[in-house]
Amino acid sequence: MRIGFIGAGNMAEALMKGIISAGISTREEVTAGEVIKERREYIERTMNVKVTSDNVEVARSANVLLLAVKPQQMSTVLEELKPYLNAENLIISIAAGIKIGHIESRLNTGVRVVRVMPNQPCMVGASASAFALGKFAKPEDKEAVIRILQSVGVAFNVDEKLLDAVTGLSGSGPAFVYLMIEAMADGGVLVGLPRDVSIKLAAQTVLGAAKTVLDTGMHPAAAKDMVASPAGTTIEGLRVLEEAGVRGALIDAVEAAARRSAELGEKS
């Protein structure tokens, strides 16, 4: 694939690394467009790919174009690129809230569009992404997007109407987990652990629990019950969490984030 990035921020950088490491494209086949001079120089120096301030140059050099711009910049970027894109191009958008119809309506008929919702752990190769296909997208486009997203984590194909739910769960979810890690670490400090040790123990505990669910396929409730022995420490802690409504609060947080995503999508 000749892949061009419009925007070279943190998410784009992570995807570049994954694409190159996985052998999907070579460094010579990757081009990036970035308006900020310091960022252009950084990407060129660290990634060893061609970087330019000219988005049209990127569009002309690529058959797959990944749009990694802010949502409010999308219409301007699409207007600029429209004359240079046709049915031979695959457009992948990671702009939050911008619907496929919005993108397709501003491009020439036949341009293949895929909308992606990645998440922040993409930067450490552990993304949980979902994507939806536009009306002109082909089966091979689906496979290409899966290859790209699996280079930085896992990916699921969903209907576009479900991307707000994905945003609420895996898009916003890392922040909910960071809050949980911070709170668990505070608890460790409260009972005497040094701060640095407590943070690492809390983070590794979350990592280990997540890996257990993913690697074994065990239902989280079954894994929880394995840890909670009769009259033990864990069941006492779980009682406190249930009394505090933590389970309900997390459910409500995902729902609230999904609802806000839908609101922002309507505004865009």
Side-chain angles (χ1 to χ4, degrees):
M1 296 182 202
R2 299 189 314 279
I3 300 182
F5 287 81
I6 304 299
N10 291 330
M11 198 71 78
E13 179 185 357
L15 286 165
M16 282 183 216
K17 289 178 180 176
I19 287 165
I20 293 168
S21 296
I24 296 170
S25 299
T26 65
R27 295 182 189 277
E28 292 74 25
E29 292 170 324
V30 174
T31 310
E34 173 57 54
V35 295
I36 300 174
K37 181 174 182 289
E38 293 76 14
R39 186 66 184 174
R40 285 200 305 272
E41 293 172 349
Y42 167 80
I43 292 294
E44 196 162 35
R45 183 177 68 253
T46 59
M47 296 299 302
N48 195 25
V49 300
K50 183 177 181 181
V51 188
T52 176
S53 60
D54 186 354
N55 288 338
V56 171
E57 182 182 352
V58 177
R60 283 174 164 169
S61 70
N63 55 3
V64 177
L65 205 58
L66 200 146
L67 306 181
V69 297
K70 291 180 171 59
Q72 59 267 33
Q73 298 171 328
M74 182 63 80
S75 293
T76 301
V77 167
L78 293 174
E79 182 180 354
E80 178 187 18
L81 298 179
K82 179 179 178 178
Y84 308 96
L85 301 176
N86 55 45
E88 298 301 311
N89 295 107
L90 170 60
I91 306 301
I92 302 172
S93 170
I94 64 170
I98 302 297
K99 295 182 178 179
I100 293 171
H102 177 93
I103 298 171
E104 289 177 338
S105 69
R106 286 159 176 78
L107 295 174
N108 296 311
T109 301
V111 177
R112 294 127 58 201
V113 177
V114 177
R115 178 184 168 194
V116 175
M117 180 65 225
N119 69 353
Q120 188 230 22
C122 174
M123 293 189 287
V124 292
S127 181
S129 304
F131 66 94
L133 303 173
K135 62 183 176 182
F136 300 113
K138 301 176 180 179
E140 54 264 38
D141 296 331
K142 175 182 174 179
E143 297 308 313
V145 171
I146 288 173
R147 285 182 65 205
I148 289 170
L149 296 178
Q150 286 184 342
S151 74
V152 292
V154 298
F156 300 92
N157 182 201
V158 302
D159 291 338
E160 187 178 19
K161 65 183 180 181
L162 295 177
L163 285 180
D164 290 324
V166 172
T167 300
L169 178 56
S170 58
S172 300
F176 306 156
V177 177
Y178 298 144
L179 180 66
M180 185 165 59
I181 291 171
E182 182 186 28
M184 289 171 64
D186 282 346
V189 172
L190 178 65
V191 293
L193 288 171
R195 171 69 62 182
D196 58 337
V197 173
S198 195
I199 290 174
K200 289 175 182 176
L201 284 172
Q204 182 65 33
T205 298
V206 170
L207 174 64
K211 186 171 173 58
T212 298
V213 171
L214 292 173
D215 288 0
T216 67
M218 192 182 303
H219 192 285
K224 176 203 71 178
D225 289 347
M226 287 178 64
V227 184
S229 55
T233 60
T234 304
I235 194 65
E236 181 65 14
L238 287 169
R239 179 186 63 78
V240 172
L241 292 176
E242 293 289 5
E243 287 181 351
V246 170
R247 181 195 300 266
L250 287 171
I251 293 171
D252 290 347
V254 172
E255 182 187 33
R259 186 169 59 249
R260 181 59 175 159
S261 174
E263 291 170 356
L264 293 174
E266 290 301 320
K267 288 180 181 178
S268 69

